[in-house]
Amino acid sequence: MTLATPILEIVSALAIFLLGSGFGIALGRRMRTAAAQSEQVARLENEVRSAREAEIVARTNLENAHQQVAEEKKRLGEIRAQMESTFEAMAADITRKNSATFLQ
């Protein structure tokens, strides 16, 4: 056995160790990256779910507001019709009184 054989074995063992370590480090980084991406996906899914819930609430509020506006328009229309009727009655009464006064 020569001196070159043990050195060659040591170099080979060292090369295998370094390659294995490099592979382990790369695999560890890949796993951390995958875990971070998984966490990011979960966070984004939660944000989407929250946005959808907020959209449902906003649409419900909008529908309620449209309904309230429609009811308010109807009520204002009824008030207007009542005021027109009252004004016409008052105008007729004033005209009648003026005619009666003029005829006297």
Side-chain angles (χ1 to χ4, degrees):
M1 194 189 280
T2 65
L3 182 60
T5 304
I7 292 176
L8 187 58
E9 288 177 9
I10 293 172
V11 170
S12 295
L14 184 59
I16 291 171
F17 173 76
L18 290 175
L19 285 172
S21 296
F23 180 73
I25 290 171
L27 183 61
R29 285 182 182 164
R30 184 75 158 178
M31 290 175 68
R32 281 193 302 272
T33 301
Q37 288 174 345
S38 179
E39 289 175 12
Q40 185 178 12
V41 167
R43 188 173 27 52
L44 292 173
E45 286 174 344
N46 285 336
E47 288 179 18
V48 167
R49 189 173 20 265
S50 295
R52 286 182 178 153
E53 291 170 359
E55 178 188 13
I56 290 169
V57 170
R59 286 185 185 274
T60 302
N61 290 342
L62 181 61
E63 289 173 7
N64 290 340
H66 281 298
Q67 184 178 0
Q68 289 175 349
V69 166
E71 290 171 1
E72 194 68 20
K73 280 183 177 181
K74 180 181 175 187
R75 192 172 71 78
L76 289 173
E78 291 169 355
I79 291 171
R80 180 178 182 185
Q82 185 180 14
M83 289 177 71
E84 286 175 352
S85 175
T86 302
F87 182 76
E88 288 174 1
M90 289 173 60
D93 188 45
I94 290 172
T95 302
R96 190 172 56 264
K97 286 180 182 178
N98 282 344
S99 295
T101 304
F102 179 71
L103 293 176
Q104 287 180 347

